Amino acid sequence: MVQNLRNVCIIAHVDHGKTTLVDFLLRQAGTFASHQRVDDRVMDSMDLERERGITIQAKNTAVRVGDTKINIVDTPGHADFGGEVERIMGMVDGAILLVDAAEGPLPQTRFVLQKALQQGLRLILVINKVDRPDARIDEVVNQAFDLFVDLGASEAQADFPIVYACARQGWCTLNRDEIPDLLSGAKKTTLKPLFDAILENVSKPKITDAGGFQLMVSNLSYSEFVGRLAIGRVISGTVKKGQRVTRRGIDAAGNPINEGFNISQLAVYEGLTQMPVLEVGAGDICV
Ligand code: GDP
């Protein structure tokens, strides 16, 4: 059960290229067998989710790089989901802020970014669409830096790695000077620098040693086939299919609830799908 893991979320304003980036991360990570079709709009694929009888607001994806699995958690694009945003931040150890090289950071991502900073997450800035003729890369980097400081980033958080990307062509670089050659085709690369940046900058999931199994539930959902679904991160121990567990919560009046139930199914994220498993270990995100 022990495996290398990283849990990250993506913060992006709509249209800055989140779906495109995740599509290419999935393709390049080799998550898919060649016969599997990569749905063109991964994070937006609500129909796909309906087909499976599962609808969750924050959609999760997982990619494998070597022996490491990276869970990628989506965040809502706006501030209407305050509590949800905090719960999502509790699942991850790092965040990717994806910003359009021409538009720069927009106010709508401010709230989610602030929550990520408050949670102490390590951030990676991805400047996307560096191919745009109206790209103003250095200015946008400076704007992002000012925004971080403005939102109370720690010194370490303000010292973020910067990845320059053209998600639509499936490449990125940490070397600003390399961009012209990559745009002209004189040099070629992939999204590997982003994978590497995640592995280097985002720490492994913190695991508390509470003894038994504990899952921090971040989201609830429902499946016609299975019943109630809880999505979250295993913060301690392991859990097995069929196990009897207790849900600890509070009711509307603030009274504690301890509700016992059996885990009839367990799944982890693998590519775009939820893969049924018999056991989930600490650190992983599961349903
Ligand atoms: P999302 O709303 O953040 O998921 O954004 P999408 O991934 O749907 O992308 C929005 C638009 O930006 C689409 O038309 C993409 O083709 C385009 N796009 C994504 N990445 C790039 C890029 O690197 N360069 C350019 N020029 N366009 C891009």
Side-chain angles (χ1 to χ4, degrees), residues 18-223:
K18 179 166 65 184
T19 309
T20 310
L21 182 74
V22 172
D23 282 348
F24 276 90
L25 285 172
L26 282 165
R27 285 170 214 244
Q28 293 183 10
T31 305
F32 291 85
S34 54
H35 62 273
Q36 274 185 295
R37 191 176 61 90
V38 179
D39 192 270
D40 240 350
R41 298 187 56 87
V42 180
M43 291 282 193
D44 288 351
S45 55
M46 290 300 278
D47 290 345
L48 203 77
E49 302 226 292
R50 269 189 220 109
E51 232 172 74
R52 297 205 179 92
I54 291 169
T55 307
I56 45 177
Q57 272 146 358
K59 280 149 272 150
N60 304 338
T61 310
V63 298
R64 271 174 198 281
V65 190
D67 62 353
T68 304
K69 174 171 148 183
I70 305 173
N71 281 309
I72 302 172
V73 180
D74 196 10
T75 59
H78 39 83
D80 296 350
F81 306 103
E84 192 197 349
V85 171
E86 272 170 35
R87 292 194 300 273
I88 290 168
M89 297 304 165
M91 281 202 286
V92 300
D93 305 286
I96 293 169
L97 176 66
L98 182 72
V99 178
D100 182 307
E103 293 195 356
L106 295 176
Q108 287 89 337
T109 52
R110 214 183 142 92
F111 176 80
V112 182
L113 178 61
Q114 184 166 32
K115 291 283 174 203
L117 291 167
Q118 283 169 353
Q119 189 76 26
L121 300 183
R122 175 78 166 149
L123 272 111
I124 297 171
L125 177 65
V126 178
I127 304 287
N128 189 34
K129 308 195 190 182
V130 293
D131 60 305
R132 278 181 67 154
D134 54 349
R136 38 185 196 99
I137 298 169
D138 302 319
E139 216 177 309
V140 168
V141 168
N142 286 336
Q143 282 179 346
F145 179 80
D146 290 345
L147 179 61
F148 276 48
V149 172
D150 201 31
L151 294 177
S154 68
E155 225 167 281
Q157 284 173 323
D159 188 20
F160 48 84
I162 305 166
V163 180
Y164 307 93
C166 182
R168 200 158 66 178
Q169 293 168 17
W171 58 258
C172 68
T173 178
L174 273 80
N175 183 353
R176 168 83 177 79
D177 300 334
E178 223 176 38
I179 299 173
D181 280 348
L182 288 165
L183 287 175
S184 72
K187 273 190 182 173
K188 292 221 177 305
T189 184
T190 62
L191 290 174
K192 187 171 184 301
L194 178 56
F195 285 123
D196 293 342
I198 293 171
L199 298 187
E200 274 167 37
N201 291 283
V202 179
S203 54
K204 291 181 182 176
K206 288 180 288 293
I207 293 165
T208 61
D209 196 14
F213 159 67
Q214 286 188 356
L215 177 84
M216 187 187 67
V217 177
S218 302
N219 233 321
L220 296 173
S221 190
Y222 187 81
S223 151

Side-chain angles (χ1 to χ4, degrees), residues 242-263:
Q243 194 172 330
R244 181 104 190 137
V245 295
T246 304
R247 177 176 83 89
R248 302 184 65 181
I250 48 168
D251 67 16
N255 303 309
I257 302 171
N258 287 309
E259 180 191 23
F261 63 95
N262 294 320
I263 295 179

